[in-house]
Amino acid sequence: MSFEDEWAAEKAAVAMRLNKADNAGGSTPAKGSGDYVVEDDDLGDIGHAAYGLSNGLESAGKHASAASETAGGSLKGDGFDAGAALSEVNKTWETQVRTLLQACAHISNHLNFTKKSNRTEDDWIATRLRTVGPVAPGADDAVSASRINQYFR
């Protein structure tokens, strides 16, 4: 089998698996389910992982920088083209590490903001939907459907 045939077969297999994910028939949500639900704990876990990656990457991503720069300069001084190449790779690596650090910080900050914003919005809605005043004994103090519908327009 040629590479092209094998590649085409793999792409078709992956597409088939994606189309049947969770037996839900593609990306359409299952009947009766919400469109998209993320719990605060999930947001917190993802934000914490991004924060942890950022903290570890700060030092781990830069630990070989000085040695690489020294080796590149030494090789370059001895007339080896590999020295200039090593210095260029080191600069590119440093740029990529800074970019990843910024991305991790952005993810962590955004998820913290989203979590706080959603909680504030949920609290506001809960306060607005609270039944005000006395409720007759035995009566249901649930908010009417027409009042709830006002918040979804």
Side-chain angles (χ1 to χ4, degrees):
M1 178 181 272
S2 72
F3 173 77
E4 288 80 15
D5 294 338
E6 190 175 346
W7 181 246
E10 287 299 319
K11 287 195 310 186
V14 168
M16 177 106 38
R17 284 194 307 263
L18 289 175
N19 286 337
K20 295 186 184 234
D22 296 332
N23 294 324
S27 62
T28 306
K31 188 173 185 178
S33 70
D35 287 334
Y36 187 66
V37 176
V38 177
E39 302 295 331
D40 279 348
D41 289 344
D42 296 333
L43 293 176
D45 290 346
I46 294 168
H48 181 71
Y51 180 76
L53 177 61
S54 176
N55 283 343
L57 186 61
E58 183 74 41
S59 61
K62 298 177 181 180
H63 80 278
S65 180
S68 297
E69 195 57 43
T70 301
S74 178
L75 288 169
K76 189 175 178 181
D78 290 339
F80 289 100
D81 290 339
L86 182 58
S87 294
E88 184 63 30
V89 167
N90 189 45
K91 287 177 190 171
T92 302
W93 175 258
E94 288 176 353
T95 300
Q96 295 301 319
V97 167
R98 282 193 308 272
T99 301
L100 186 54
L101 284 169
Q102 290 172 353
C104 288
H106 178 74
I107 290 167
S108 181
N109 292 340
H110 179 72
L111 290 175
N112 286 338
F113 171 80
T114 300
K115 188 176 176 180
K116 182 180 178 185
S117 174
N118 286 345
R119 185 178 12 244
T120 301
E121 195 170 296
D122 286 348
D123 290 346
W124 181 83
I125 290 171
T127 300
R128 304 289 276 163
L129 290 178
R130 196 168 290 135
T131 302
V132 179
V135 177
D140 183 7
D141 66 341
V143 178
S144 69
S146 60
R147 184 150 178 231
I148 292 172
N149 192 41
Q150 293 173 357
Y151 295 96
F152 293 100
R153 292 185 182 189

